[in-house]
Amino acid sequence: MAATFADAHRRTCATLACRLANATSIRELDMQIKAILFDIDGTLVDTNDMHVLAWEEAFAGVGASFDRQVIHDQIGKGTDMLVPTLLPGADAEEQEKLGDTHGEIFKAKYLTTAKPFARAHDLLAHAHGFGQQVVLASSASGSELDHYIALLEARDLIGATTSSDDVERTKPAPDIFATALKALPGIDPAEVIVVGDSPYDIEAAAKCGIAAVGVRSGKFSDERLNAAGAVAIYDDVAALLADYAQSPLGR
């Protein structure tokens, strides 16, 4: 199945790259990219290091200790994917308790101090003004998502949202993006692109036949983002906005 997903993603990326290379304006693409699915943590808001600290404390509460880089390498997943990777012996109840503890720590210590990355609001506003549907599709909880929408001053810019509360499985499973697609009737996956900071965003997008642009602000290496299938990589959303017209989002 993994090979099938990878093959499908490569075909999607090749088709998009070909059309972008042969188009000279957005009109020639007939608004090829009609919707953009934005990840939040590490992409629009600078929270990855905060999540690492919150998970570190949550794991310490059950006597487990991991190098912070080991935890970071799992950021972008929800509890259902992150905990089994690091604690494969934990049962469903233990996983849920750890996720609840992480969430409580994150909200109590870090959520209110989180800041958007530079130009994050402007990128969403630009896409909206360009006539593209703006969707926030995150493994964060619904309450965190609502906080981020207010933080980004983006409530009037967003056409749809999906969070971990809306799905059975989080990234890198396809559920979050698949659910987002259902909120975009009449729009084909080839007319959608994902912007995310982690390989799990890119892998989840691939499973839905959606191309993805990576940003380095989440501190994942280019090697990992490229291996997951990113069609382009930018330093952060400010760099993506500066190159919007030439990027896969705007060409």
Side-chain angles (χ1 to χ4, degrees), residues 4-6 8-9 12 37 169 171-182 187-192 194 201-211:
T4 301
F5 289 146
H9 184 49
T12 299
L37 311 184
R169 301 174 301 164
K171 303 166 189 172
D175 301 29
I176 285 175
F177 293 144
T179 300
L181 285 175
K182 293 177 182 177
I187 297 181
D188 187 87
E191 299 171 315
V192 179
V194 161
D201 297 312
I202 298 165
E203 291 169 16
K207 293 169 185 176
C208 296
I210 304 172

Side-chain angles (χ1 to χ4, degrees), residues 5-230:
F5 289 146
D7 291 343
H9 184 49
R10 280 193 291 270
R11 289 194 295 272
T12 299
C13 296
T15 299
L16 178 60
C18 180
R19 293 194 67 184
L20 291 175
N22 291 314
T24 57
S25 73
I26 191 66
R27 289 185 176 85
E28 290 182 38
L29 282 173
D30 190 27
M31 286 298 291
Q32 166 66 20
I33 300 303
K34 295 181 179 178
I36 306 171
L37 311 184
F38 289 95
D39 172 61
I40 299 176
D41 289 294
T43 301
L44 297 175
V45 183
D46 189 4
T47 54
N48 280 10
D49 288 343
M50 297 176 179
H51 279 295
V52 169
L53 295 175
W55 276 116
E56 181 180 53
E57 186 172 340
F59 283 125
V62 297
S65 176
F66 301 97
D67 184 88
R68 287 179 181 173
Q69 185 62 48
V70 171
I71 299 174
H72 171 271
D73 287 348
Q74 301 303 315
I75 298 300
K77 298 179 178 181
T79 297
D80 62 310
M81 297 291 186
L82 186 152
V83 175
T85 300
L86 296 182
L87 287 181
D91 61 26
E93 183 178 356
E94 291 169 328
Q95 292 176 29
E96 184 176 358
K97 286 182 179 178
L98 273 167
D100 289 345
T101 301
H102 161 265
E104 291 164 4
I105 294 168
F106 180 75
K107 290 174 185 176
K109 292 188 173 183
Y110 303 111
L111 183 61
T112 58
T113 64
K115 303 295 183 185
F117 286 110
R119 308 300 303 277
H121 167 86
D122 297 341
L123 177 61
L124 302 181
H126 186 81
H128 181 267
F130 205 50
Q132 295 166 314
Q133 289 269 13
V134 173
V135 179
L136 299 187
S138 171
S139 292
S141 68
S143 61
E144 290 170 7
L145 177 62
D146 192 61
H147 174 83
Y148 292 140
I149 291 172
L151 186 66
L152 290 161
E153 299 179 347
R155 205 166 298 279
D156 294 338
L157 305 175
I158 296 167
T161 65
T162 56
S163 73
S164 60
D165 293 354
D166 302 317
V167 299
E168 291 186 8
R169 301 174 301 164
T170 61
K171 303 166 189 172
D175 301 29
I176 285 175
F177 293 144
T179 300
L181 285 175
K182 293 177 182 177
L184 301 169
I187 297 181
D188 187 87
E191 299 171 315
V192 179
I193 199 159
V194 161
V195 177
D197 70 296
S198 79
Y200 313 118
D201 297 312
I202 298 165
E203 291 169 16
K207 293 169 185 176
C208 296
I210 304 172
V213 170
V215 287
R216 300 183 179 99
S217 49
K219 301 180 181 178
F220 285 91
S221 68
D222 285 14
E223 182 179 13
R224 289 196 66 187
L225 297 175
N226 280 321

